Amino acid sequence: MLRYVTTNPGKVREAEEYLGEGVSQLDYDYTEIQSDDLGTIAARGAREAYRHAGEPTLVDDAGLFVRALDGFPGPYSSYAEDTIGVERTWELAREEDDRAASFRCVLAYCDGEGFDASPDPVDVDDRVAAAAAGPEADDDRETLPVKLFEGRVRGTLVEPRGEGGFGFDPIFEHEGATFAEMDEAEKNAISHRGRALAKFAEWHAER
Ligand code: ITT
């Protein structure tokens, strides 16, 4: 069984909508390393979760990138939501003339097996870090292959609207509606997570 590893029920609802009954949540709080690269964070999480669960794992690292704030909160979105919150993030953005933002999601898949080479990003940083750590590196960071799938969507930050979704959905508008005004299927059809899930689902079906 494929395990979607997250503590966030909003992510699980969206993944289930996409992947159906072939996936179930693993509520496991893997170590989230500090990095400005979503792929590196997700890859490390997928390896750790795979070692923990012994089953194929999918880890999703995602964030809101505000252009006028140089991409903040980006990989720190969960922390920003927990600390200043959605309303104050909107207040920061409201000060700016440029309200453009994007949501990005990287899915990392690990099942202990290797993968064919592909143009998808690999967690190069992770391998460089492992090599730099030298022979004392105490885990199998380098030897557990991970496959990454990325999705992005552009939008505009607006005053909060809507009751659905989670996180920053109420302030993220795409083609006239906020993500919180969409139902799961509507959001999945265009969202960062939906796009990453579509790439993953296509690849996984062939595997
Ligand atoms: P896990 O690490 O357990 O999966 P998390 O919510 O902490 O749960 P992330 O570290 O990936 O997950 O943080 C993502 C944060 O980015 C999330 O808490 C939201 O604040 C924001 N975010 C990501 N995707 C989002 C989406 O589709 N809609 C709204 N906000 C989103």
Side-chain angles (χ1 to χ4, degrees):
M1 168 66 96
L2 175 62
R3 309 302 300 270
Y4 207 91
V5 188
T6 181
T7 59
N8 181 332
K11 289 183 177 181
V12 180
R13 283 195 301 273
E14 292 176 14
E16 282 171 348
E17 164 86 28
Y18 224 104
L19 302 172
E21 291 181 355
V23 67
S24 74
Q25 180 183 6
L26 175 61
D27 187 347
Y28 172 64
D29 201 9
Y30 55 86
T31 314
E32 213 165 279
I33 60 160
Q34 212 169 46
S35 166
D36 56 11
D37 178 53
L38 297 176
T40 303
I41 300 167
R44 290 289 293 274
R47 288 195 180 96
E48 187 188 320
Y50 174 75
R51 284 195 292 270
H52 168 81
E55 291 180 281
T57 52
L58 204 50
V59 162
D60 156 341
D61 201 55
L64 174 73
F65 293 72
V66 180
R67 189 162 71 184
L69 303 178
D70 297 329
F72 178 84
Y76 308 103
S77 294
S78 178
Y79 182 71
E81 188 194 335
D82 290 346
T83 50
I84 63 173
V86 174
E87 187 76 39
R88 281 172 67 197
T89 302
W90 155 243
E91 283 164 16
L92 283 177
R94 193 175 50 189
E95 301 296 311
E96 307 289 338
D97 296 329
D98 176 9
R99 307 262 173 88
S102 61
F103 269 129
R104 299 181 202 167
C105 173
V106 176
L107 289 178
Y109 174 78
C110 181
D111 62 10
E113 308 284 330
F115 309 108
D116 290 339
S118 80
D120 281 310
V122 287
D123 47 338
V124 178
D125 288 355
D126 210 16
R127 289 188 193 164
V128 171
E136 286 88 46
D138 61 0
D139 59 29
D140 44 6
R141 276 184 287 188
E142 260 192 308
T143 53
L144 267 184
V146 168
K147 182 98 172 161
L148 303 182
F149 304 85
E150 192 181 7
R152 293 178 188 217
V153 58
R154 286 178 209 280
T156 307
L157 296 183
V158 296
E159 187 120 24
R161 293 195 326 256
E163 304 296 328
F166 67 95
F168 295 101
D169 282 344
I171 62 169
F172 188 86
E173 187 184 74
H174 179 84
E175 293 180 355
T178 68
F179 272 10
E181 291 174 319
M182 300 179 188
D183 63 28
E184 243 121 59
E186 287 167 336
K187 180 180 168 188
N188 262 346
I190 46 154
S191 78
H192 51 315
R193 183 163 300 99
R195 285 172 180 168
L197 283 166
K199 289 184 193 171
F200 169 75
E202 190 185 343
W203 174 82
H204 193 242
E206 304 251 306
R207 185 156 171 83

